[in-house]
Structures are given as structure tokens and as C-alpha cells.
Amino acid sequence: MTDTSTRQARIAWFERICGDLHERFVPLTDGEPASYIPELATVDPDRFAIAAVTTDGERVGVGDHDHAFTIQSISKLLLYGLALETHGRDHVLERVGVAPTGDSFNAIALDDDRNRAPNPMVNAGAIAITDLVVGATLDDRVEAVRSMYERYLGHRPEVDREVWTSERATGNRNRAIAYLMLSRGIIDDRVEQTLDLYFAQCSVLITADDLATIGATIANHGVHPVTGERVVRRDVTRDMLTVALTCGMYDYAGEWAYTVGIPAKSGVGGGIVGMIPGAGAIAVYSPRLDAFGNSVRGLRVFEELSDEFEMHVFDPDSPWRGTD
């Protein structure tokens, strides 16, 4: 077989694996869609997709892989990268640390010793990161965020206006976090504008295919797997992957690192993206969530894939080593 036919055979084989996993976990109906954001409570709970993109642009998609959903907290990882590129690591670390907390993602808690948010993957840290988005007006800052998404996706994403409105109307806990940080000098005084931007960044519509492309770009050290264009600096992706591994799965992050062992980020919209540096990314979408806010089916898919294919970054026999 030629190299091309061998690669195509491997992709077809992995697509069959994903198809089998999809079929196996379709009957799993544990969990419910997020209800604290009213618009998210109305989504079809039985949507289910698995998608993958390799660092050389090969794609796999099964189930509802082209169905649009809101990115929610997965946006935190991308905004963190934007902040690092715009302001530099030292400035960002003055506002947001990198330590896992063990607390829920919406905990009203700060790093009192350093007077900063604990990490960029919890809401406090994410709001502090969003505050760093440059722009004179809300529209300017929304466009800056959409332009960032466009570099990852290859197209300009839409914002789900209904979800954005719903998050504005119910986001009082995030307001409490933001005003606490204002009182401590962690964020600037345009609090309501920054919160509006935060709600907007979480309401961006993507598909599982999009999410796998985003993850593959980060796994490819910032180079888009299809276009070959640099989306984010190489050194920045190292920091993004590190916080994804240690903090990306809410207060389940420690368990995830132990059992699955790849950098990942989840969102309460039902998405999870897992990144294998130098190899590619896998995305799962299923809106039924567990008590931590992670997709129930998503967790099972990643657990199975990690175990079957030795994806854990510390597995001494991992076949993914040396693919960088």
C-alpha cells in the first residue's frame, strides 16, 4: 500500500472505532443539559457527536458532528491564549494564576495571597482574562474575539443571541465574582461591558468538527492543520495545553488527569475537546452533563479511547510519543 492509501485506511479504521463508540453510548441517558442558563435547558439532550482532526488535516466525524452548539467554557482556553499573546505571560500572571482549585467553576473565591484569580479555567479567572481583551467599545471587543475564533475556524462564527441574552439575564453569580475582583483591583472598572463580552464569548456557535479543528491547531503547536497558517504562538500553546491538563475539566480535573491524561477543556454546552500534542484532537458533543458540568457521554468516550489507544501523556508505551 502507498503512504496515502495507508493513511486513508487508518483514518477509516479510526472512524469505525468512533462509530462503534457512538453506537455503544447512544443508549446512555444519564445527566441533564445545563438548567441554570434557561436557553441551554431547551437543547435536544440526545444530540451526540464524535469528531477528530489530525495535525496533518485528516478528519473523522460521526453522529451530529455538524450540529451547532454554544462553546461555553471552552472559550476560556482560547481567550487565555489571546491574553498571553497580547499582554505577555508576566502581566497575565499578575491577574490570574495557574493553580487547580478543587472548587466548582463558579466559586466566589480568589487567591488571597497573590490577590488574583486562581486559574483561567474557572469563571473568576476567565472574567479577569476577558477583561484584558483590547477595544474601545463592546462592539470592538466582540469583533476582536470573533476574529480570534475565525483564525482557528477559517470562518467567522455567529453568536447565539438567545443564549447571550439568557446568560445576561441569569449571570448574577458572575457579576458577584466580577465586582469582588473590581473591589480588589484585579479587573478594570468597565465591569458590565466585560461581563457582556464574557457572555458573548461563551455564546459563540461551533460544531464538533469546529471544536476538533480548534483542538488540532493547539495540538499542532499553533499551526492550523488545514491551512498551515500560524494561529497562535508556539510558546503560548505550551501554556494553554498545561492549564488544560491541570484545570480544564472543572473540579473533575484531577480525576481526568489520572484516568484520561490528555489536555482537555469542557463546556456546559456539552462539548469536550481533548488534545494530543503533535498528533491531533478529538471532540465530543453531548449536552447531558454530570454533577461537575462535564458531558456524561463525552467522559465515557474519552475514557475508552485513552485506555484503548494509550493516549495518556505519561503512558510509557504511548504510540503517540515521537509524533511531534
Side-chain angles (χ1 to χ4, degrees):
M1 296 177 73
T2 66
D3 288 344
T4 299
S5 59
T6 299
R7 184 169 63 250
Q8 290 173 342
R10 290 179 65 187
I11 293 299
W13 167 76
F14 189 69
E15 188 162 20
R16 288 194 297 274
I17 296 293
C18 291
D20 290 344
L21 287 172
H22 187 276
E23 183 177 356
R24 189 193 316 175
F25 292 126
V26 160
L28 181 60
T29 57
D30 295 349
E32 298 292 338
S35 60
Y36 65 93
I37 301 171
E39 279 297 314
L40 295 187
T42 67
V43 303
D44 181 350
D46 294 319
R47 293 279 187 180
F48 184 22
I50 305 172
V53 176
T54 65
T55 52
D56 57 2
E58 298 287 355
R59 295 180 176 274
V60 164
V62 298
D64 301 308
H65 59 96
D66 58 354
H67 175 76
F69 60 96
T70 53
I71 192 168
Q72 296 299 327
S73 283
I74 301 170
S75 68
K76 296 171 179 175
L77 184 62
L78 306 188
L79 269 288
Y80 182 55
L82 179 63
L84 289 170
E85 285 211 307
T86 304
H87 301 281
R89 181 196 266 187
D90 289 344
H91 182 70
V92 172
L93 282 171
E94 289 175 0
R95 294 193 178 203
V96 184
V98 292
T101 66
D103 295 327
S104 64
F105 64 90
N106 61 355
I108 305 176
L110 301 174
D111 177 352
D112 291 326
D113 292 336
R114 301 287 294 273
N115 192 42
R116 61 184 183 178
N119 70 65
M121 301 297 108
V122 295
N123 289 11
I127 292 167
I129 291 296
T130 299
D131 189 56
L132 292 171
V133 175
V134 175
T137 67
L138 175 62
D139 288 343
D140 290 342
R141 299 171 80 199
V142 169
E143 285 307 303
V145 170
R146 290 181 70 201
S147 294
M148 176 207 66
Y149 278 114
E150 185 175 15
R151 293 195 294 275
Y152 283 97
L153 299 174
H155 62 87
R156 206 163 185 81
E158 297 299 320
V159 177
D160 187 317
R161 298 281 170 171
E162 287 75 21
V163 173
W164 190 5
T165 299
S166 186
E167 295 209 29
R168 281 186 187 127
T170 58
N172 290 327
R173 189 176 183 88
N174 285 323
R175 288 189 176 87
I177 293 169
Y179 279 103
L180 174 61
M181 290 194 293
L182 174 64
S183 74
R184 301 275 291 271
I186 298 171
I187 64 173
D188 296 333
D189 61 3
R190 51 181 179 177
V191 177
E192 290 299 328
Q193 186 187 108
T194 288
L195 284 166
D196 221 5
L197 178 60
Y198 176 69
F199 299 141
Q201 79 184 45
C202 293
S203 302
V204 164
L205 287 164
I206 58 165
T207 65
D209 290 333
D210 291 333
L211 190 53
T213 301
I214 290 170
T217 301
I218 300 169
N220 200 29
H221 309 297
V223 175
H224 195 285
V226 177
T227 68
E229 295 180 2
R230 178 158 294 284
V231 174
V232 61
R233 287 203 323 261
R234 183 182 180 91
D235 61 307
V236 168
T237 62
R238 190 196 75 163
D239 290 350
M240 295 170 73
L241 288 163
T242 300
V243 297
L245 178 62
T246 59
C247 308
M249 298 296 290
Y250 302 131
D251 41 331
Y252 188 73
E255 195 80 18
W256 172 275
Y258 190 76
T259 57
V260 178
I262 61 174
K265 186 69 192 87
S266 62
V268 295
I272 300 177
V273 59
M275 295 153 285
I276 306 166
I282 301 163
V284 181
Y285 167 62
S286 177
R288 293 182 181 273
L289 309 180
D290 64 14
F292 296 103
N294 297 315
S295 170
V296 174
R297 287 170 173 161
L299 290 179
R300 294 297 305 276
V301 168
F302 275 103
E303 288 167 356
E304 291 288 325
L305 288 173
S306 181
D307 184 58
E308 178 69 20
F309 298 107
E310 299 177 308
M311 290 180 176
H312 198 293
V313 294
F314 301 126
D315 192 319
D317 300 318
S318 172
W320 310 100
R321 291 185 182 276
T323 57
D324 188 346

